[in-house]
Amino acid sequence: MDVYGLIGNPVGHSLSPPMHEAGYEALGLDAKYVTFEPPADEGAAAVEAADKLGVAGLNVTIPFKRDVLDAVDPDPLAARIGAVNTVDFSGETPRGYNTDAVGAVRALDHHGVELSGTAVVVGAGGAGRAVAFGLADEGMSVRIANRTASKAHALADEVPNATGHGLGDFDALLADADVLVNCTSVGMDEDETPVPKSALTPDLAVLDAVYSPIETRLLREAAAVGATTVDGAWMLLYQGVEAFELWTGEDAPVDPMNEALRSGL
């Protein structure tokens, strides 16, 4: 049996186990997905221990995505993002990937969104970094908006064809934009939105990385003006799908994995 898992602290809330195990069951794979909760300062040690124990692959979540860089050989994208959320142990050394970037790209593509033109990414934290690099690699111009403008400018200096901005003028930022991605936690614990409805346009495709609630205020208001909307569970699904395919070499059974994920929301 192949054992895959997730390291994080905490991990009790994770929807990854039922999502991945639905995939194993659909393909008839002899595999199990388990969770590990090491102390907050032992992410790299946990990866090393998993390697010695013969674990086939790990997902990595908060607070370990940066810490585990010291224990893996990151692929070029993960190295540029500066964070790893997936580790594969099939080679001579653990290989680190960041599937958050691909998760956002595949979520948008699944909804027929053409990844050309200009994207506005709200937030310059971990998710914002991943999404900004992912969209830039697809050839989009990226405008990064963050409450602390200096962080947006710093990230824009690393991302190809990107500019940094504060949160002051969404009307100007979105006037000719094609894609908007919220990578902040705004909307998770309260009925708030990081982007005023007045700045939204029917020509936008709006992805909100927040998946609880599944319909955030941002998505509700974007739908009301006629924009294309993509909820955060699609990004969560496709980052898992990408990890599944890296580990198993199989095309992931997306529908069963999606059903398992959404049944847990």
Side-chain angles (χ1 to χ4, degrees):
M1 174 182 288
D2 288 324
V3 176
Y4 303 96
L6 169 71
I7 61 168
N9 192 328
V11 290
H13 65 289
S14 176
L15 298 170
S16 291
M19 176 175 63
H20 280 274
E21 293 205 334
Y24 307 149
E25 182 179 356
L27 295 186
L29 301 179
D30 187 16
K32 182 72 176 175
Y33 192 100
V34 297
T35 59
F36 305 95
E37 193 169 305
D41 59 348
E42 295 189 10
V47 171
E48 293 167 357
D51 190 17
K52 292 177 182 177
L53 290 170
V55 172
L58 282 179
N59 285 135
V60 183
T61 190
I62 294 171
F64 302 123
K65 290 185 179 184
R66 296 184 68 86
D67 297 346
V68 302
L69 281 166
D70 294 334
V72 304
D73 174 23
D75 85 328
L77 178 59
R80 284 189 294 149
I81 294 171
V84 163
N85 79 333
T86 299
V87 182
D88 177 54
F89 295 103
S90 62
E92 292 185 4
T93 59
R95 184 74 160 157
Y97 301 89
N98 191 304
T99 68
D100 288 332
V102 180
V105 168
R106 291 182 69 168
L108 290 162
D109 182 69
H110 175 82
H111 287 79
V113 177
E114 186 175 343
L115 298 180
S116 61
T118 300
V120 175
V121 175
V122 185
R129 288 184 64 86
V131 171
F133 275 105
L135 295 178
D137 284 357
E138 292 295 311
M140 299 195 78
S141 299
V142 181
R143 297 168 183 164
I144 302 163
N146 194 66
R147 179 177 297 174
T148 305
S150 60
K151 291 184 178 180
H153 290 295
L155 176 55
D157 287 342
E158 300 179 52
V159 176
N161 203 18
T163 55
H165 308 267
L167 299 182
D169 193 1
F170 274 111
D171 287 334
L173 283 176
L174 292 172
D176 60 346
D178 302 284
V179 172
L180 166 66
V181 185
N182 173 38
C183 292
T184 75
S185 61
V186 176
M188 182 181 296
D189 297 320
E190 66 286 305
D191 192 38
E192 299 291 342
T193 175
V195 180
K197 183 179 179 180
S198 60
L200 302 173
T201 71
D203 297 328
L204 275 174
V206 181
L207 166 62
D208 196 337
V210 172
Y211 57 84
S212 180
I214 198 72
E215 185 184 58
T216 61
R217 179 176 172 183
L218 172 60
L219 293 183
R220 207 166 58 239
E221 294 183 346
V225 302
T228 299
T229 59
V230 183
D231 66 62
W234 288 107
M235 180 174 166
L236 180 62
L237 170 69
Y238 277 108
Q239 64 79 29
V241 163
E242 184 73 9
F244 185 103
E245 293 176 346
L246 284 168
W247 291 332
T248 67
E250 304 276 358
D251 290 336
V254 174
D255 289 343
M257 293 176 71
N258 185 40
E259 291 171 11
L261 169 61
R262 289 178 184 270
S263 68
L265 290 173

